[in-house]
Amino acid sequence: MRIFSGIQPTGRKHLGNYIGAITQYVAGQDRGDAVYCIVDLHAVTVEFDPSELRERTYDTAAILLAAGLDPARCILFRQSDVLEHSELAWLLGAVTAYGDLGRMTQFKEKARKQRELVSAGLFFYPVLQAADVLAYRTDEVPVGDDQRQHIELMRDIAIRFNNTFGEVFVVPEHRIPAVGARIMDLQNPESKMSTSNASDEGTVYVLDEPEAIERKFRRAVTDSGSGVRRAPGKAGVTNLIDILAAVRNGSPEEIEREFADAGYGDFKAAVAAAVIEYLAPVRERYEQLRGDEASLEDALAEGATRARAIAAATLADVRRAMGVGPNLGVGPPR
Ligand code: ATP
Ligand code: MG
């Protein structure tokens, strides 16, 4: 079984990314043939700083390795190293409905937040994402809940391509975690914790110092009532319960039972302590890995070579099926 997922090198990765995606990446290494990509081409769809993009890519690679990705058991690479992704994105544009792209909530939300330019790249983002996944004939895509709509779209794209040009693609399934698929901002628990939308005090970064984590949870927005339980109107507390459940690999019901008589202050302190302990080993390993940029670059380059071998074979089938390029005379599309 092929597993594929991508993560942006924008900003600093946060607890939502860690719980919703990165822990699933690590687990995926034991479940199948896992391919993970740092999507620097997606990062240029909103305002970004060119002098930082490469650095953030290394940061992200070091976080993923520190979290437990093992290049001996998965393929980890940088999107822009495998040119097939961008060519395939263009070709998939032929079977993507313009109207569907305009309906993507991520596009609408990110578009609203741009100060200067809403780029065409932001509009086309889900097509590049479809290319990332489909190039590897992926069976399963581990992602957070916010990516549901994009996965549906890439399934539609794969099906439309197969119906129009012949069976080339596997139609991927998403894999969304039962707990922690949507970690909310601690200051604004109605919005998801996000890289590009960072309210710094509401976002717990994987690399935050223990003091910062402690402070952010202490100041987390709750409600004027009491009772550690999940309920409508209690988005802040519900989020904290989900976080603690995910970090302990347990269920929200267990947390509610355990803290049935606790006040918000004690509960927040317990969540902070658990998150600090959870992230400490990652931060420690990160420091060692990040210091050796040459090794990170080697690991990414090696990953790209392995990724390219898979993506190039798919691209050859796509070109043949679409009549693009010379007739290489090698068999019908798969
Ligand atoms: P941006 O807001 O700029 O899109 P992001 O925080 O969503 O950034 P990405 O790199 O786009 O970060 O997402 C990487 C993975 O993390 C995706 O699988 C996404 O679904 C997941 N993810 C992102 N935010 C959350 C969250 N708040 N809770 C759970 N999973 C999340
Ligand atoms: Mg995102």
Side-chain angles (χ1 to χ4, degrees):
M1 185 193 47
R2 173 72 44 75
I3 297 170
F4 179 98
S5 195
I7 186 163
Q8 292 196 74
T10 37
R12 295 164 286 168
K13 299 324 281 184
H14 53 76
L15 190 60
N17 301 135
Y18 200 84
I19 291 173
I22 297 175
T23 55
Q24 296 200 83
Y25 295 0
V26 176
Q29 298 180 115
D30 297 322
R31 299 183 42 256
D33 171 12
V35 183
Y36 302 119
C37 179
I38 301 173
V39 295
D40 55 346
L41 298 179
H42 277 109
V44 307
T45 57
V46 294
E47 204 176 302
F48 74 104
D49 181 349
S51 66
E52 279 194 359
L53 181 54
R54 197 166 294 120
E55 296 300 311
R56 295 291 93 84
T57 302
Y58 293 135
D59 295 350
T60 307
I63 286 183
L64 293 173
L65 294 168
L69 290 196
D70 174 3
R73 293 193 297 144
C74 72
I75 297 178
L76 173 64
F77 71 106
R78 172 173 45 207
Q79 186 184 32
S80 61
D81 287 346
V82 180
L83 301 180
E84 280 77 3
H85 290 232
S86 20
E87 180 178 348
L88 183 56
W90 180 256
L91 294 174
L92 292 179
V95 285
T96 305
Y98 175 83
D100 284 349
L101 292 181
R103 272 191 287 280
M104 294 292 116
T105 40
Q106 178 175 294
F107 169 68
K108 288 192 269 189
E109 279 172 14
K110 289 190 178 178
R112 212 179 322 116
K113 284 177 197 135
Q114 300 314 303
R115 277 172 301 193
E116 305 234 321
L117 175 75
V118 176
S119 72
L122 189 60
F123 185 73
F124 214 63
Y125 181 117
V127 188
L128 179 58
Q129 191 178 1
D132 295 343
V133 171
L134 299 182
Y136 297 88
R137 296 193 163 107
T138 302
D139 298 292
E140 208 177 270
V141 191
V143 283
D145 182 71
D146 61 315
Q147 294 304 312
R148 259 176 216 283
Q149 206 184 16
H150 287 170
I151 305 282
E152 273 315 307
L153 179 75
M154 70 177 71
R155 288 170 55 85
D156 290 346
I157 291 173
I159 291 167
R160 192 174 295 119
F161 186 100
N162 288 347
N163 290 341
T164 310
F165 300 115
E167 289 287 326
V168 169
F169 293 121
V170 170
V171 181
E173 307 278 343
H174 60 203
R175 186 182 174 90
I176 293 177
V179 182
R182 192 172 180 81
I183 302 298
M184 309 308 277
D185 188 290
L186 300 187
Q187 286 299 315
N188 178 13
E190 310 292 333
S191 338
K192 86 168 184 92
M193 201 176 273
S194 156
T195 306
S196 54
N197 174 33
S199 80
D200 247 17
E201 279 301 293
T203 308
V204 175
Y205 296 104
V206 175
L207 302 177
D208 268 347
E209 301 280 339
E211 298 70 36
I213 297 177
E214 205 272 325
R215 185 189 68 240
K216 288 174 183 180
F217 279 107
R218 184 160 21 87
R219 294 187 188 158
V221 168
T222 49
D223 53 80
S224 54
S226 63
V228 177
R229 57 193 160 75
R230 293 163 301 156
K234 292 173 80 75
V237 171
T238 301
N239 187 37
L240 296 176
I241 292 171
D242 281 348
I243 290 174
L244 187 53
V247 163
R248 285 190 183 174
N249 207 1
S251 74
E253 289 79 11
E254 284 162 17
I255 307 293
E256 286 172 331
R257 269 197 299 279
E258 183 179 337
F259 290 90
D261 302 319
Y264 287 167
D266 289 344
F267 177 55
K268 285 175 172 184
V271 181
V275 169
I276 289 168
E277 197 186 310
Y278 180 70
L279 294 178
V282 186
R283 209 169 104 234
E284 224 167 86
R285 282 193 293 271
Y286 172 88
E287 292 304 336
Q288 298 159 2
L289 291 159
R290 184 63 183 87
D292 187 355
E293 229 165 65
S295 294
L296 291 173
E297 188 53 56
D298 285 349
L300 292 176
E302 212 250 343
T305 303
R306 294 163 64 203
R308 202 175 295 121
I310 304 170
T314 310
L315 232 294
D317 288 347
V318 169
R319 284 170 148 250
R320 193 180 310 124
M322 293 182 80
V324 168
N327 183 354
L328 299 175
V330 259
R334 284 186 3 144

